[in-house]
Amino acid sequence: MKWKQQIHGMKAYQPGKPIEEVKKMYGLDEVVKLASNENPFGSSPKVKAFLQQGETNHAIYPDGYAQDLRTAVANHLGVKETELIFGNGSDDLIAIITRALLYPGVNTVMADPSFSQYWHNAEIEGAEVRKVPCIEGRHDLEAMLEAIDENTSVVWVCSPNNPTGTIVTDAELQGFLKQVPSDVLVVLDEAYIEYVNDPAHENTLKYFRQYENVILLRTFSKAYGLASFRVGYGIAQEQTIAKLDPVRAPFNNTILSQKVAAIALEDQAYIEHCREANEKGKQQFVTWCEKQGLHYYPSQTNFVLFEVKADSNTVFEEMMKKGFIIRSGAALGAPGYIRVTIGTEEQNAKFLSLLEEVLYEQGVLA
């Protein structure tokens, strides 16, 4: 068959192992997944109440324009409905952007390590990928600017960054956007925006109005606890949205996902509760890492990337045997580190206690 040349040897995205599989592998009764940065508290009680009581006709196609959700998000953010595009998770929006703007002969610039779907989709489209090494886990914006040339089509800025959890400050972003050529799309991926509390990270909505070549990506999968419903959205000027929208699949959000996302958006008190609990959980990891003398990246997300001074794949396997699924840094471009989703206070305490045992066994702690 006449496959695209660039997909030869390409591997599919490898998510964390599912809970049931790990239970069977190791004969465990209980397994906690701290691998995919999901909200450990789940979704708003209002969503749960709707799912128990609400009635939905699953025999008809969803609204391809997602009108009710579109109106809810537009009102929440103070933007026009025509300045929004919805995707089957923000992964879908990344694919839409790459399909619309990347092809053989152009290049795309991104930080390294950062979210793998940027370069994965770019390679599928045959574009040149230019990865710029992070400095202490943070985007090197000066080097990224130097990597841009007349053939650059898209630049990806992940803030907070996955997998390091670090942010691009407002001052840094302002200077960067002023220098990016106007014909290069800058994607500000803000999947973890609800968790940010650093005052150096200001409201970024102003940038899509100021620059035609800026799009912000956000999602309901993280803080809103709706990962299984797959709802992401982009915010950009009308002319940018109008160019991207024909690339979008016609019914890429289900009836149910549109309804629950709009309901979740209403419950900002619940988001604040999750944010506060996340901060307390983050401090558990920070305190533990500092006690053990292990380096960690200052996270503005619901996960922490920190060193284990051991083979991260081994630590990943040993923790899985003990009932915790995490991510090995080796799979994320950070060997010797592990990325752990911040769970409940009890989950964090148990995880760190068991990790201490593993690191003793590995000769890291004495």
Side-chain angles (χ1 to χ4, degrees):
M1 291 181 278
K2 300 177 181 66
W3 300 107
K4 277 186 173 181
Q5 186 65 33
Q6 52 266 31
I7 71 171
H8 289 300
M10 184 174 283
K11 294 181 179 179
Y13 179 76
Q14 296 296 316
K17 287 186 178 293
I19 290 174
E20 292 305 315
E21 181 181 340
V22 174
K23 284 183 178 180
K24 291 178 182 178
M25 285 173 64
Y26 299 109
L28 299 169
D29 294 325
E30 182 181 359
V31 170
V32 177
K33 185 185 177 192
L34 300 177
S36 300
N37 309 332
E38 296 129 334
N39 186 337
F41 305 103
S43 59
S44 162
K46 294 182 179 180
V47 169
K48 295 172 184 176
F50 167 77
L51 292 174
Q52 290 174 349
Q53 304 168 8
E55 292 185 6
T56 303
N57 185 351
H58 297 289
I60 62 173
Y61 284 105
D63 172 10
Y65 194 62
Q67 182 62 68
D68 290 346
L69 177 58
R70 183 178 297 273
T71 300
V73 173
N75 290 340
H76 176 69
L77 296 177
V79 302
K80 298 177 183 177
E81 294 183 1
T82 48
E83 293 171 333
L84 295 169
I85 183 172
F86 289 87
N88 186 30
S90 51
D91 302 285
D92 185 29
L93 295 169
I94 292 168
I96 289 170
I97 290 167
T98 55
R99 188 177 179 192
L101 285 159
L102 298 181
Y103 45 86
V106 303
N107 67 69
T108 181
V109 176
M110 64 202 66
D112 183 34
S114 196
F115 189 41
S116 63
Q117 291 303 289
Y118 308 149
W119 61 261
H120 180 84
N121 281 280
E123 288 188 349
I124 290 173
E125 300 303 329
E128 177 193 352
V129 173
R130 296 183 175 179
K131 296 183 181 181
V132 177
C134 288
I135 298 178
E136 297 181 353
R138 303 180 72 247
H139 285 54
D140 184 350
L141 295 181
E142 288 299 321
M144 290 175 69
L145 283 169
E146 292 175 5
I148 296 172
D149 63 18
E150 66 276 7
N151 294 319
T152 303
S153 186
V154 181
V155 176
W156 308 86
V157 178
C158 187
S159 180
N161 188 38
N162 182 8
T164 60
T166 56
I167 60 164
V168 173
T169 68
D170 189 64
E172 292 169 333
L173 189 56
Q174 283 192 49
F176 180 73
L177 293 176
K178 287 178 183 177
Q179 298 179 72
V180 175
S182 60
D183 64 345
V184 175
L185 181 69
V186 179
V187 182
L188 301 181
D189 189 344
E190 301 181 327
Y192 301 92
I193 188 70
E194 288 83 9
Y195 290 109
V196 177
N197 62 6
D198 189 328
H201 187 286
E202 297 181 12
N203 190 332
T204 52
L205 285 173
K206 58 189 174 187
Y207 291 119
F208 92 88
R209 296 201 187 283
Q210 189 175 352
Y211 297 98
E212 183 181 344
N213 63 326
V214 169
I215 184 170
L216 285 64
L217 302 187
R218 297 183 179 181
T219 183
F220 284 91
S221 295
K222 306 302 181 185
Y224 287 92
L226 298 177
S228 68
F229 288 98
R230 312 307 300 124
V231 184
Y233 59 96
I235 314 160
Q237 290 189 18
E238 291 177 338
Q239 57 268 39
T240 302
I241 297 297
K243 286 289 188 183
L244 291 172
D245 213 29
V247 184
R248 179 181 59 85
F251 303 108
N252 60 337
N253 291 120
T254 67
I255 291 176
L256 201 53
S257 66
Q258 291 178 32
K259 287 184 177 180
V260 298
I263 292 168
L265 192 64
E266 295 174 359
D267 196 352
Q268 289 301 308
Y270 180 74
I271 297 301
E272 181 59 30
H273 163 73
C274 292
R275 185 185 296 115
E276 291 174 359
N278 184 74
E279 282 302 308
K280 292 178 182 177
K282 188 192 303 179
Q283 191 57 47
Q284 288 178 271
F285 282 88
V286 168
T287 300
W288 187 87
C289 286
E290 291 180 347
K291 176 186 174 184
Q292 305 301 342
L294 298 172
H295 175 261
Y296 63 92
Y297 290 100
S299 176
Q300 288 289 305
T301 66
N302 66 337
F303 62 82
V304 182
L305 180 71
F306 61 96
E307 73 171 335
V308 288
K309 293 184 178 177
D311 185 306
S312 51
N313 286 337
T314 299
V315 174
F316 160 75
E317 292 287 346
E318 291 302 313
M319 290 306 299
M320 196 156 50
K321 292 176 185 177
K322 294 179 182 294
F324 280 89
I325 307 171
I326 57 174
R327 287 302 298 269
S328 165
L332 302 170
Y337 284 68
I338 56 173
R339 192 192 69 188
V340 185
T341 304
I342 298 167
T344 66
E345 182 179 358
E346 295 76 16
Q347 290 171 344
N348 299 334
K350 184 177 180 181
F351 170 82
L352 291 170
S353 175
L354 292 173
L355 178 60
E356 204 164 310
E357 292 179 10
V358 169
L359 295 187
Y360 274 119
E361 293 167 359
Q362 296 298 311
V364 175
L365 303 180

